[in-house]
Amino acid sequence: MNEAAIGVLAVLIGLVACLAGYVVFRLVLPILGFLVGLGLGAQLAATLFDQPYLGSPLSWVVAIVVGVVVATIAFVWWYVSVALTIAGLGYAIGFGAAQGLGMEATAAVVAGIVVAVVFALIALLLRVPIGVVIVVTAFWGSSALIGGVLVLVNRIEPSQLRNGTVDVVIDGSPLLLAVWLALGVVGVLVQWLTTSRGGDQTPVGEPAI
């Protein structure tokens, strides 16, 4: 897949996550769980086994196995699956933020795990209210959208999309950080308004009947 196609795909995924993350979250949770698990597994393989990010058979095997495990949990156990998916997005945000702040790879992994655990605990303790899902998907989607645009204008390589480009945003210019925050806020507002107008009050964590 060439860089232009990857950039366009990242922009589309970012837009959907940013502006309709809650709806997508509920409809395709197992798929989202697989994608999050795939990214988490690839990052863990790259760090633990010193493998290129999805650049070797071993990294692909680890990524796919973790993705399948998370997707299976997402299908069988609703509450746990939501918490794990939120944790996966939290890991991407924490790891990317740590790298953007200049931390070493090991420290960044630890930071990602800490954020993931915190997000998972919040999700479980609060029974994953709508607001948590909206905020996490809006800001993750915002960073993915920016990353896709940066790929299209040849500012970054496609491999740098692996953390939702949070590291690129933080390590970039103040303007880029401001755009990320602004898009995230817009995403939160759009999702909240459309969810409220749609009358969807089914709590996340309980499948709609």
Side-chain angles (χ1 to χ4, degrees):
M1 186 181 295
N2 59 42
E3 293 188 3
I6 293 175
V8 171
L9 183 60
V11 169
L12 292 176
I13 292 174
L15 276 173
V16 171
C18 185
L19 302 178
Y22 172 68
V23 175
V24 173
F25 196 90
R26 292 187 58 198
L27 294 177
V28 292
L29 183 59
I31 297 175
L32 182 59
F34 174 77
L35 294 176
V36 169
L38 187 74
L40 177 60
Q43 187 60 61
L44 288 176
T47 303
L48 297 177
F49 303 113
D50 194 25
Q51 296 286 325
Y53 186 86
L54 294 181
S56 69
L58 177 60
S59 64
W60 272 103
V61 168
V62 173
I64 291 173
V65 168
V66 175
V68 169
V69 169
V70 175
T72 302
I73 293 173
F75 182 77
V76 177
W77 294 294
W78 182 264
Y79 275 119
V80 175
S81 68
V82 174
L84 285 177
T85 305
I86 288 289
L89 294 176
Y91 177 87
I93 293 173
F95 182 89
Q99 283 207 321
L101 293 173
M103 293 185 181
E104 296 182 355
T106 303
V109 169
V110 173
I113 292 174
V114 169
V115 175
V117 170
V118 170
F119 276 32
L121 288 176
I122 291 175
L124 289 173
L125 293 175
L126 300 182
R127 296 177 66 86
V128 199
I130 292 173
V132 174
V133 178
I134 288 177
V135 170
V136 172
T137 55
F139 281 93
W140 183 87
S142 172
S143 63
L145 193 163
I146 292 173
V149 172
L150 293 178
V151 168
L152 290 174
V153 297
N154 296 317
R155 286 281 302 277
I156 65 172
E157 296 296 324
S159 61
Q160 291 178 269
L161 293 171
R162 62 184 179 272
N163 306 313
T165 66
V166 177
D167 52 339
V168 175
V169 169
I170 292 179
D171 195 34
S173 66
L175 176 60
L176 201 59
L177 181 59
V179 172
W180 176 59
L181 293 173
L183 286 174
V185 170
V186 170
V188 169
L189 292 175
V190 170
Q191 289 196 55
W192 186 262
L193 290 174
T194 53
T195 300
S196 300
R197 288 176 181 176
D200 186 355
Q201 299 300 322
T202 305
V204 176
E206 295 182 7
I209 300 176

